Protein backbone atom coordinates (compact mmCIF):
# COMPACT_ATOMS: atom_id res chain seq x y z
CA UNK A 1 0.00 0.00 0.00
CA UNK A 2 1.31 3.40 -0.93
CA UNK A 3 0.96 6.27 1.55
CA UNK A 4 0.97 9.26 -0.80
CA UNK A 5 1.11 11.88 1.97
CA UNK A 6 4.61 10.95 3.06
CA UNK A 7 6.06 11.80 -0.34
CA UNK A 8 4.85 15.39 -0.57
CA UNK A 9 7.07 18.42 -0.01
CA UNK A 10 6.12 21.13 2.46
CA UNK A 11 4.57 23.10 -0.39
CA UNK A 12 2.81 20.00 -1.69
CA UNK A 13 1.32 19.35 1.72
CA UNK A 14 0.00 22.88 1.98
CA UNK A 15 -1.78 22.73 -1.39
CA UNK A 16 -5.55 22.69 -1.19
CA UNK A 17 -8.38 23.18 -3.65
CA UNK A 18 -9.40 26.80 -4.12
CA UNK A 19 -12.77 27.82 -2.78
CA UNK A 20 -13.87 29.00 -6.21
CA UNK A 21 -13.03 25.68 -7.87
CA UNK A 22 -15.08 23.82 -5.28
CA UNK A 23 -18.00 26.06 -6.03
CA UNK A 24 -17.70 25.55 -9.77
CA UNK A 25 -18.20 21.81 -9.25
CA UNK A 26 -21.66 22.57 -7.90
CA UNK A 27 -22.45 24.87 -10.76
CA UNK A 28 -21.69 22.13 -13.29
CA UNK A 29 -24.66 20.15 -11.91
CA UNK A 30 -26.96 22.46 -13.86
CA UNK A 31 -30.00 24.57 -13.07
CA UNK A 32 -27.80 27.02 -11.24
CA UNK A 33 -27.33 30.61 -12.32
CA UNK A 34 -23.69 31.36 -11.65
CA UNK A 35 -22.31 34.72 -10.65
CA UNK A 36 -19.41 32.79 -9.21
CA UNK A 37 -16.87 32.34 -12.01
CA UNK A 38 -14.74 34.96 -13.68
CA UNK A 39 -15.16 34.05 -17.29
CA UNK A 40 -15.55 36.36 -20.28
CA UNK A 41 -18.73 36.07 -22.35
CA UNK A 42 -17.83 33.43 -24.97
CA UNK A 43 -20.31 35.05 -27.40
CA UNK A 44 -17.81 37.91 -27.71
CA UNK A 45 -14.89 35.68 -28.76
CA UNK A 46 -13.47 36.66 -32.19
CA UNK A 47 -13.90 33.24 -33.76
CA UNK A 48 -14.13 34.45 -37.37
CA UNK A 49 -11.07 36.70 -37.09
CA UNK A 50 -9.09 33.83 -35.57
CA UNK A 51 -10.14 31.51 -38.39
CA UNK A 52 -8.73 34.02 -40.86
CA UNK A 53 -5.51 34.58 -38.89
CA UNK A 54 -4.75 30.92 -38.24
CA UNK A 55 -5.46 30.11 -41.86
CA UNK A 56 -3.07 32.87 -42.98
CA UNK A 57 -0.33 31.62 -40.62
CA UNK A 58 -0.60 28.08 -41.96
CA UNK A 59 -0.90 29.17 -45.59
CA UNK A 60 2.64 30.48 -45.37
CA UNK A 61 5.09 27.58 -44.97
CA UNK A 62 7.72 29.69 -43.17
CA UNK A 63 5.25 31.23 -40.70
CA UNK A 64 3.68 27.81 -40.13
CA UNK A 65 7.07 26.34 -39.25
CA UNK A 66 7.81 29.17 -36.86
CA UNK A 67 4.40 28.79 -35.20
CA UNK A 68 5.07 25.12 -34.50
CA UNK A 69 8.64 25.60 -33.23
CA UNK A 70 9.94 26.44 -29.73
CA UNK A 71 10.15 30.16 -29.15
CA UNK A 72 12.55 32.19 -27.01
CA UNK A 73 11.84 32.41 -23.27
CA UNK A 74 11.33 36.17 -23.35
CA UNK A 75 8.66 35.86 -26.03
CA UNK A 76 7.94 36.45 -29.73
CA UNK A 77 9.74 39.67 -30.58
CA UNK A 78 7.12 41.16 -32.92
CA UNK A 79 4.54 40.76 -30.13
CA UNK A 80 6.92 42.34 -27.61
CA UNK A 81 7.33 45.27 -30.04
CA UNK A 82 3.57 45.64 -30.43
CA UNK A 83 3.06 45.59 -26.65
CA UNK A 84 5.87 48.09 -26.16
CA UNK A 85 4.13 50.51 -28.54
CA UNK A 86 0.81 50.10 -26.75
CA UNK A 87 2.35 50.70 -23.33
CA UNK A 88 4.32 53.73 -24.54
CA UNK A 89 1.10 55.23 -25.89
CA UNK A 90 -0.44 54.80 -22.45
CA UNK A 91 2.35 56.89 -20.93
CA UNK A 92 4.46 54.22 -19.23
CA UNK A 93 7.68 56.18 -18.78
CA UNK A 94 10.66 53.92 -18.14
CA UNK A 95 10.26 51.57 -21.10
CA UNK A 96 13.18 51.80 -23.53
CA UNK A 97 12.86 48.73 -25.74
CA UNK A 98 11.60 45.16 -25.79
CA UNK A 99 14.13 44.17 -23.11
CA UNK A 100 11.64 45.78 -20.73
CA UNK A 101 9.02 43.16 -21.64
CA UNK A 102 8.58 39.42 -21.10
CA UNK A 103 5.65 37.44 -22.47
CA UNK A 104 4.16 35.01 -19.94
CA UNK A 105 1.86 32.01 -20.15
CA UNK A 106 -1.19 33.86 -18.88
CA UNK A 107 -0.75 36.54 -16.28
CA UNK A 108 -1.10 33.75 -13.72
CA UNK A 109 2.45 32.82 -14.65
CA UNK A 110 3.45 36.44 -14.18
CA UNK A 111 2.16 36.25 -10.59
CA UNK A 112 4.00 32.98 -10.02
CA UNK A 113 7.29 34.32 -11.43
CA UNK A 114 7.00 37.53 -9.44
CA UNK A 115 6.46 35.48 -6.29
CA UNK A 116 9.52 33.32 -7.05
CA UNK A 117 11.78 36.21 -7.87
CA UNK A 118 10.78 38.54 -5.02
CA UNK A 119 9.32 36.71 -2.01
CA UNK A 120 11.33 35.05 0.76
CA UNK A 121 9.39 33.36 3.58
CA UNK A 122 8.33 36.01 6.09
CA UNK A 123 8.63 38.95 3.68
CA UNK A 124 5.92 41.58 3.97
CA UNK A 125 3.67 41.82 0.91
CA UNK A 126 0.89 44.40 0.95
CA UNK A 127 -2.35 43.54 -0.82
CA UNK A 128 -5.68 45.29 -1.18
CA UNK A 129 -8.54 44.05 0.98
CA UNK A 130 -10.27 42.44 -0.84
CA UNK A 131 -7.78 41.30 -3.49
CA UNK A 132 -7.47 38.90 -6.44
CA UNK A 133 -7.78 35.36 -5.14
CA UNK A 134 -5.37 33.82 -7.67
CA UNK A 135 -2.67 36.31 -6.67
CA UNK A 136 -3.02 35.27 -3.03
CA UNK A 137 -2.69 31.65 -4.14
CA UNK A 138 0.41 32.31 -6.25
CA UNK A 139 2.15 34.40 -3.59
CA UNK A 140 1.24 32.06 -0.70
CA UNK A 141 3.59 29.32 -1.93
CA UNK A 142 6.50 31.47 -0.88
CA UNK A 143 5.02 32.17 2.56
CA UNK A 144 4.95 35.95 2.79
CA UNK A 145 3.34 37.86 5.64
CA UNK A 146 0.38 39.54 4.04
CA UNK A 147 -0.58 43.00 5.25
CA UNK A 148 -3.88 44.36 3.97
CA UNK A 149 -5.05 47.84 3.01
CA UNK A 150 -8.84 48.27 2.72
CA UNK A 151 -10.59 49.64 -0.36
CA UNK A 152 -13.43 52.09 -0.61
CA UNK A 153 -15.44 52.92 -3.72
CA UNK A 154 -12.34 54.62 -5.22
CA UNK A 155 -10.08 51.63 -4.75
CA UNK A 156 -7.14 51.34 -2.37
CA UNK A 157 -7.24 53.72 0.61
CA UNK A 158 -3.80 55.24 0.06
CA UNK A 159 -4.13 57.20 3.32
CA UNK A 160 -4.36 53.88 5.17
CA UNK A 161 -1.51 52.53 3.05
CA UNK A 162 0.64 55.39 4.27
CA UNK A 163 -0.23 54.62 7.91
CA UNK A 164 0.54 50.95 7.31
CA UNK A 165 3.90 51.71 5.70
CA UNK A 166 4.79 54.07 8.53
CA UNK A 167 3.93 51.57 11.26
CA UNK A 168 5.82 48.78 9.47
CA UNK A 169 8.83 51.07 9.16
CA UNK A 170 8.67 51.75 12.90
CA UNK A 171 8.74 48.00 13.51
CA UNK A 172 11.81 47.83 11.29
CA UNK A 173 9.99 45.83 8.61
CA UNK A 174 10.65 46.32 4.92
CA UNK A 175 7.84 45.87 2.42
CA UNK A 176 8.85 43.72 -0.55
CA UNK A 177 6.06 44.92 -2.80
CA UNK A 178 2.54 46.30 -2.93
CA UNK A 179 0.20 44.32 -5.18
CA UNK A 180 -2.70 46.29 -6.65
CA UNK A 181 -5.40 46.02 -9.30
CA UNK A 182 -6.14 49.74 -9.62
CA UNK A 183 -8.51 49.48 -12.57
CA UNK A 184 -11.91 47.72 -12.49
CA UNK A 185 -10.61 45.67 -9.59
CA UNK A 186 -11.27 41.97 -9.18
CA UNK A 187 -13.23 41.32 -6.95
CA UNK A 188 -14.45 44.80 -5.91
CA UNK A 189 -15.03 46.48 -9.28
CA UNK A 190 -13.36 49.71 -8.09
CA UNK A 191 -11.13 52.06 -10.09
CA UNK A 192 -8.59 54.40 -8.50
CA UNK A 193 -8.65 58.04 -9.56
CA UNK A 194 -5.40 59.69 -10.63
CA UNK A 195 -4.70 61.51 -7.36
CA UNK A 196 -4.62 58.16 -5.54
CA UNK A 197 -2.47 56.60 -8.24
CA UNK A 198 0.08 59.37 -7.96
CA UNK A 199 0.07 59.16 -4.18
CA UNK A 200 0.60 55.39 -4.36
CA UNK A 201 3.71 55.79 -6.52
CA UNK A 202 4.97 58.61 -4.27
CA UNK A 203 4.65 56.28 -1.28
CA UNK A 204 6.66 53.57 -3.06
CA UNK A 205 9.46 56.13 -3.48
CA UNK A 206 9.21 57.39 0.07
CA UNK A 207 9.24 53.93 1.64
CA UNK A 208 11.65 52.41 -0.88
CA UNK A 209 9.44 49.63 -2.12
CA UNK A 210 7.97 48.51 -5.46
CA UNK A 211 4.46 48.13 -6.85
CA UNK A 212 3.01 45.27 -8.87
CA UNK A 213 0.21 46.69 -11.01
CA UNK A 214 -2.07 43.94 -12.36
CA UNK A 215 -4.20 45.35 -15.14
CA UNK A 216 -6.28 42.87 -17.12
CA UNK A 217 -9.25 45.25 -17.45
CA UNK A 218 -7.62 48.52 -18.59
CA UNK A 219 -9.18 48.19 -22.05
CA UNK A 220 -12.57 47.25 -20.67
CA UNK A 221 -13.67 50.59 -19.24
CA UNK A 222 -17.18 51.05 -20.54
CA UNK A 223 -17.82 54.46 -18.98
CA UNK A 224 -16.10 56.84 -21.42
CA UNK A 225 -16.05 59.73 -18.94
CA UNK A 226 -13.58 57.91 -16.71
CA UNK A 227 -9.98 58.93 -17.38
CA UNK A 228 -6.87 57.78 -15.56
CA UNK A 229 -3.25 56.88 -16.21
CA UNK A 230 -1.40 53.67 -15.54
CA UNK A 231 0.85 53.79 -12.47
CA UNK A 232 3.85 53.64 -14.80
CA UNK A 233 2.97 57.16 -15.98
CA UNK A 234 3.94 58.53 -12.54
CA UNK A 235 7.13 56.51 -12.21
CA UNK A 236 10.54 57.36 -13.61
CA UNK A 237 12.63 55.02 -11.46
CA UNK A 238 11.20 51.62 -12.42
CA UNK A 239 9.29 51.04 -9.19
CA UNK A 240 6.21 49.83 -11.06
CA UNK A 241 6.13 46.29 -12.37
CA UNK A 242 3.22 46.19 -14.76
CA UNK A 243 1.43 43.02 -15.77
CA UNK A 244 -1.49 42.45 -18.05
CA UNK A 245 -3.21 39.72 -20.01
CA UNK A 246 -4.97 38.91 -23.27
CA UNK A 247 -7.47 36.78 -21.36
CA UNK A 248 -10.18 39.39 -20.97
CA UNK A 249 -9.75 41.24 -24.28
CA UNK A 250 -9.08 38.34 -26.62
CA UNK A 251 -9.13 34.80 -25.22
CA UNK A 252 -8.31 33.21 -21.86
CA UNK A 253 -7.70 29.95 -23.74
CA UNK A 254 -4.67 31.52 -25.45
CA UNK A 255 -2.91 31.77 -22.05
CA UNK A 256 -1.11 34.99 -22.93
CA UNK A 257 0.05 37.61 -20.49
CA UNK A 258 3.07 39.84 -20.10
CA UNK A 259 5.16 41.79 -17.62
CA UNK A 260 6.75 45.18 -18.29
CA UNK A 261 9.18 47.03 -16.08
CA UNK A 262 12.78 47.74 -15.12
CA UNK A 263 15.07 45.64 -17.30
CA UNK A 264 16.92 44.12 -14.32
CA UNK A 265 13.61 42.87 -12.95
CA UNK A 266 12.60 41.55 -16.35
CA UNK A 267 15.96 39.78 -16.82
CA UNK A 268 15.46 37.82 -13.60
CA UNK A 269 11.84 37.04 -14.42
CA UNK A 270 12.98 35.61 -17.78
CA UNK A 271 15.45 33.33 -15.99
CA UNK A 272 12.68 32.12 -13.68
CA UNK A 273 10.41 31.54 -16.66
CA UNK A 274 13.05 29.45 -18.39
CA UNK A 275 12.90 26.91 -15.56
CA UNK A 276 9.11 27.09 -15.43
CA UNK A 277 8.12 26.41 -19.05
CA UNK A 278 10.96 27.37 -21.48
CA UNK A 279 8.59 29.50 -23.54
CA UNK A 280 5.01 30.55 -24.10
CA UNK A 281 3.39 28.85 -27.14
CA UNK A 282 4.63 30.44 -30.38
CA UNK A 283 1.32 29.88 -32.15
CA UNK A 284 -0.87 31.92 -29.82
CA UNK A 285 1.73 34.69 -29.62
CA UNK A 286 1.80 34.97 -33.40
CA UNK A 287 -1.98 34.89 -33.65
CA UNK A 288 -2.41 37.56 -30.96
CA UNK A 289 0.18 39.75 -32.65
CA UNK A 290 -1.65 39.48 -35.98
CA UNK A 291 -4.90 40.34 -34.23
CA UNK A 292 -3.34 43.54 -32.90
CA UNK A 293 -1.48 44.42 -36.11
CA UNK A 294 -4.60 44.05 -38.25
CA UNK A 295 -6.37 46.57 -36.02
CA UNK A 296 -8.97 44.05 -34.85
CA UNK A 297 -8.47 44.75 -31.15
CA UNK A 298 -10.10 48.22 -31.14
CA UNK A 299 -13.22 46.95 -32.88
CA UNK A 300 -13.35 43.88 -30.71
CA UNK A 301 -12.92 45.75 -27.44
CA UNK A 302 -15.76 48.12 -28.41
CA UNK A 303 -18.00 45.09 -28.86
CA UNK A 304 -17.09 43.59 -25.47
CA UNK A 305 -17.55 46.93 -23.70
CA UNK A 306 -21.04 47.32 -25.13
CA UNK A 307 -22.09 43.83 -24.01
CA UNK A 308 -20.59 44.20 -20.50
CA UNK A 309 -22.06 47.66 -19.99
CA UNK A 310 -25.55 46.31 -20.72
CA UNK A 311 -25.01 43.37 -18.39
CA UNK A 312 -23.62 45.52 -15.62
CA UNK A 313 -26.57 47.90 -15.91
CA UNK A 314 -28.98 44.98 -15.80
CA UNK A 315 -27.32 43.69 -12.63
CA UNK A 316 -27.34 47.11 -10.94
CA UNK A 317 -31.00 47.57 -11.85
CA UNK A 318 -31.89 44.15 -10.46
CA UNK A 319 -29.96 44.85 -7.24
CA UNK A 320 -31.81 48.15 -6.85
CA UNK A 321 -35.14 46.45 -7.47
CA UNK A 322 -34.80 43.37 -5.30
CA UNK A 323 -32.11 43.67 -2.63
CA UNK A 324 -33.36 44.43 0.89
CA UNK A 325 -32.34 47.37 3.12
CA UNK A 326 -28.87 47.14 4.54
CA UNK A 327 -27.31 45.95 1.30
CA UNK A 328 -24.75 47.93 -0.62
CA UNK A 329 -22.77 47.41 -3.81
CA UNK A 330 -20.13 48.96 -6.02
CA UNK A 331 -21.02 50.35 -9.43
CA UNK A 332 -18.01 49.49 -11.62
CA UNK A 333 -17.00 51.61 -14.60
CA UNK A 334 -15.44 48.56 -16.25
CA UNK A 335 -14.38 44.95 -15.84
CA UNK A 336 -16.56 42.01 -14.88
CA UNK A 337 -17.46 42.17 -11.16
CA UNK A 338 -19.74 43.84 -8.63
CA UNK A 339 -18.97 43.60 -4.90
CA UNK A 340 -22.05 43.33 -2.72
CA UNK A 341 -22.18 43.63 1.07
CA UNK A 342 -25.18 42.68 3.19
CA UNK A 343 -25.31 43.73 6.82
CA UNK A 344 -25.93 40.95 9.29
CA UNK A 345 -25.48 38.12 6.80
CA UNK A 346 -22.56 35.70 6.86
CA UNK A 347 -22.12 35.06 3.16
CA UNK A 348 -20.05 31.90 3.72
CA UNK A 349 -22.91 30.31 5.65
CA UNK A 350 -25.44 31.57 3.13
CA UNK A 351 -23.64 30.15 0.07
CA UNK A 352 -25.06 26.64 0.39
CA UNK A 353 -28.61 27.95 0.80
CA UNK A 354 -28.08 30.08 -2.30
CA UNK A 355 -26.91 27.04 -4.26
CA UNK A 356 -29.98 25.12 -3.18
CA UNK A 357 -32.04 28.02 -4.53
CA UNK A 358 -30.11 27.90 -7.79
CA UNK A 359 -27.75 30.83 -7.56
CA UNK A 360 -23.98 30.89 -7.00
CA UNK A 361 -21.56 33.62 -5.92
CA UNK A 362 -18.11 33.65 -4.34
CA UNK A 363 -18.21 34.51 -0.65
CA UNK A 364 -16.18 37.52 0.47
CA UNK A 365 -13.73 35.67 2.73
CA UNK A 366 -12.15 34.03 -0.33
CA UNK A 367 -10.58 37.35 -1.30
CA UNK A 368 -8.63 38.00 1.89
CA UNK A 369 -5.47 36.40 3.20
CA UNK A 370 -5.70 34.03 6.16
CA UNK A 371 -5.12 36.77 8.75
CA UNK A 372 -7.87 39.07 7.44
CA UNK A 373 -10.69 36.76 6.31
CA UNK A 374 -13.28 38.17 8.71
CA UNK A 375 -13.26 41.46 6.77
CA UNK A 376 -15.13 39.63 4.02
CA UNK A 377 -17.80 37.93 6.10
CA UNK A 378 -20.71 40.08 4.83
CA UNK A 379 -19.52 40.35 1.24
CA UNK A 380 -19.87 38.51 -2.02
CA UNK A 381 -18.45 38.86 -5.50
CA UNK A 382 -20.90 38.79 -8.38
CA UNK A 383 -19.73 38.27 -11.94
CA UNK A 384 -21.83 39.87 -14.67
CA UNK A 385 -19.82 39.06 -17.83
CA UNK A 386 -20.74 35.39 -18.17
CA UNK A 387 -24.50 35.09 -17.37
CA UNK A 388 -27.11 36.31 -19.84
CA UNK A 389 -29.27 39.36 -19.05
CA UNK A 390 -32.22 37.05 -18.30
CA UNK A 391 -30.08 35.01 -15.92
CA UNK A 392 -28.86 38.19 -14.24
CA UNK A 393 -32.41 39.36 -13.54
CA UNK A 394 -33.61 35.97 -12.34
CA UNK A 395 -30.41 35.25 -10.38
CA UNK A 396 -30.47 38.54 -8.46
CA UNK A 397 -34.12 37.99 -7.66
CA UNK A 398 -33.31 34.55 -6.23
CA UNK A 399 -30.30 35.89 -4.35
CA UNK A 400 -32.35 38.67 -2.78
CA UNK A 401 -34.92 36.14 -1.59
CA UNK A 402 -32.18 34.02 -0.04
CA UNK A 403 -30.78 37.10 1.76
CA UNK A 404 -34.18 38.07 3.17
CA UNK A 405 -34.93 34.55 4.27
CA UNK A 406 -31.47 33.97 5.72
CA UNK A 407 -31.71 37.16 7.73
CA UNK A 408 -35.00 36.03 9.18
CA UNK A 409 -33.14 33.32 11.10
C1 LIG B 1 -8.70 37.62 -15.00
C2 LIG B 1 -7.56 38.22 -14.28
C3 LIG B 1 -6.26 37.98 -14.70
C4 LIG B 1 -5.96 37.17 -15.93
O1 LIG B 1 -5.36 35.96 -15.64
P1 LIG B 1 -4.77 35.08 -16.82
O2 LIG B 1 -3.88 34.11 -16.13
O3 LIG B 1 -4.01 35.99 -17.74
O4 LIG B 1 -5.91 34.43 -17.52
C5 LIG B 1 -5.23 38.56 -13.99
N1 LIG B 1 -5.46 39.34 -12.93
C6 LIG B 1 -6.70 39.61 -12.50
C7 LIG B 1 -6.90 40.55 -11.36
C8 LIG B 1 -7.79 39.04 -13.17
O5 LIG B 1 -9.03 39.33 -12.75
Amino acid sequence: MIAPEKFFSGIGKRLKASEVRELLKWVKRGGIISFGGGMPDPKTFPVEEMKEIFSDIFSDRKLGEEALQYGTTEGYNPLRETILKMLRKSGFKILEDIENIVITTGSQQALDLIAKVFIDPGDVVIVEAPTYLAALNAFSYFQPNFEVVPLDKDGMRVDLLEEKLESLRKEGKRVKFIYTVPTAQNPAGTTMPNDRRKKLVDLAYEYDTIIVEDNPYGYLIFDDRVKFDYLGAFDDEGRVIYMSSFSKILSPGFRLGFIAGHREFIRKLILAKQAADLCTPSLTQMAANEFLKRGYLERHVEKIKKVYKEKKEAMIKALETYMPEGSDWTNPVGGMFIWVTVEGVDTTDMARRALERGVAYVHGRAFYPENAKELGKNAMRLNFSYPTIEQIEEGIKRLSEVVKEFRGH
Side-chain angles (χ1 to χ4, degrees):
M1 273 278 274
I2 187 166
E5 312 76 45
K6 78 176 183 205
F7 294 94
F8 293 132
S9 65
I11 286 179
K13 283 186 191 121
R14 282 195 300 276
L15 284 174
K16 56 182 197 317
S18 97
E19 295 159 274
V20 178
R21 296 234 163 268
E22 287 297 300
L23 183 111
L24 291 179
K25 273 194 225 153
W26 257 87
V27 172
K28 290 231 170 74
R29 288 182 204 174
I32 290 178
I33 295 174
S34 179
F35 302 137
M39 289 197 280
D41 184 342
K43 298 265 182 328
T44 66
F45 290 157
V47 172
E48 284 307 312
E49 288 89 335
M50 279 304 152
K51 192 168 138 193
E52 172 198 304
I53 287 170
F54 276 74
S55 162
D56 288 352
I57 289 174
F58 289 112
S59 303
D60 179 323
R61 178 76 212 181
K62 209 168 141 286
L63 280 179
E65 287 175 6
E66 197 179 356
L68 297 176
Q69 190 55 279
Y70 283 115
T72 57
T73 305
E74 54 270 33
Y76 181 56
N77 281 346
L79 179 60
R80 291 167 87 203
E81 290 283 358
T82 308
I83 290 169
L84 178 71
K85 277 194 205 118
M86 287 166 72
L87 290 179
R88 280 222 176 108
K89 231 197 275 173
S90 74
F92 204 135
K93 280 197 206 156
I94 61 134
L95 305 181
E96 293 160 84
D97 53 39
I98 60 172
E99 302 301 320
N100 293 104
I101 292 168
V102 54
I103 309 290
T104 56
T105 305
S107 57
Q108 193 58 30
Q109 182 177 52
L111 292 168
D112 179 58
L113 298 177
I114 286 168
K116 279 184 182 147
V117 166
F118 294 106
I119 305 175
D120 283 316
D123 277 352
V124 177
V125 169
I126 295 184
V127 297
E128 294 164 332
T131 189
Y132 180 44
L133 174 59
L136 287 177
N137 287 340
F139 300 160
S140 290
Y141 273 98
F142 301 92
Q143 297 178 282
N145 279 329
F146 288 113
E147 292 282 349
V148 299
V149 176
L151 307 174
D152 64 14
K153 290 193 174 179
D154 285 329
M156 196 201 290
R157 289 273 308 270
V158 285
D159 55 330
L160 298 180
L161 172 67
E162 185 165 20
E163 285 173 18
K164 176 71 75 186
L165 288 166
E166 188 56 34
S167 76
L168 287 166
R169 177 187 269 177
K170 287 204 177 103
E171 293 172 43
K173 287 185 186 156
R174 220 183 112 212
V175 173
K176 260 304 166 68
F177 62 81
I178 302 163
Y179 170 74
T180 176
V181 185
T183 307
Q185 207 242 20
N186 178 2
T190 53
T191 296
M192 284 168 79
N194 257 356
D195 56 336
R196 286 200 188 182
R197 289 171 191 251
K198 180 168 187 315
K199 176 76 180 168
L200 173 57
V201 176
D202 287 347
L203 288 171
Y205 277 64
E206 202 179 323
Y207 290 87
D208 190 20
T209 189
I210 54 176
I211 300 167
V212 174
E213 174 180 17
D214 185 0
N215 184 33
Y217 305 110
Y219 282 93
L220 295 186
I221 299 300
F222 37 68
D223 185 334
D224 296 330
R225 293 163 304 177
V226 178
K227 298 273 178 273
F228 54 82
D229 297 300
Y230 295 165
L231 299 181
F234 302 104
D235 168 32
D236 31 43
E237 281 188 2
R239 288 186 181 270
V240 176
I241 299 176
Y242 177 89
M243 47 177 283
S244 186
S245 170
F246 289 97
S247 288
K248 310 299 161 44
I249 53 174
L250 178 53
S251 151
F254 266 29
R255 305 313 300 132
L256 274 186
F258 57 90
I259 314 174
H262 194 292
R263 50 173 72 223
E264 292 303 320
F265 290 153
I266 298 299
R267 218 193 306 273
K268 271 285 193 230
L269 291 162
I270 292 169
L271 293 174
K273 180 175 164 67
Q274 200 153 26
D277 70 349
L278 300 180
C279 66
T280 294
S282 307
L283 178 57
T284 54
Q285 293 187 73
M286 289 169 79
N289 190 52
E290 276 306 310
F291 191 79
L292 299 173
K293 264 181 39 195
R294 293 180 188 192
Y296 291 167
L297 182 73
E298 290 78 8
R299 200 174 72 197
H300 182 59
V301 157
E302 285 313 310
K303 182 168 124 191
I304 305 175
K305 288 199 297 196
K306 188 164 168 291
V307 173
Y308 288 7
K309 183 169 194 272
E310 280 171 16
K311 290 187 172 191
K312 188 224 49 174
E313 282 168 1
M315 188 173 273
I316 294 285
K317 187 157 161 269
L319 287 165
E320 285 169 350
T321 309
Y322 299 113
M323 283 298 265
E325 287 279 306
S327 345
D328 198 11
W329 48 84
T330 54
N331 191 349
V333 295
M336 315 195 312
F337 304 101
I338 294 178
W339 184 250
V340 177
T341 47
V342 246
E343 269 171 35
V345 169
D346 186 311
T347 51
T348 309
D349 295 344
M350 192 179 72
R352 178 165 283 270
R353 186 78 58 89
L355 284 170
E356 285 162 9
R357 293 300 157 86
V359 59
Y361 59 83
V362 184
H363 64 141
R365 285 188 180 88
F367 305 99
Y368 296 81
E370 238 17 92
N371 57 4
K373 294 231 176 268
E374 287 316 291
L375 294 173
K377 68 174 186 237
N378 303 132
M380 49 193 155
R381 186 191 73 174
L382 304 184
N383 166 263
F384 57 79
S385 58
Y386 190 76
T388 63
I389 299 238
E390 294 70 31
Q391 288 173 326
I392 287 173
E393 284 163 2
E394 174 61 23
I396 295 296
K397 201 165 142 196
R398 289 183 195 174
L399 185 63
S400 306
E401 281 159 14
V402 175
V403 168
K404 284 181 218 162
E405 189 197 292
F406 202 74
R407 264 207 187 131
H409 284 265

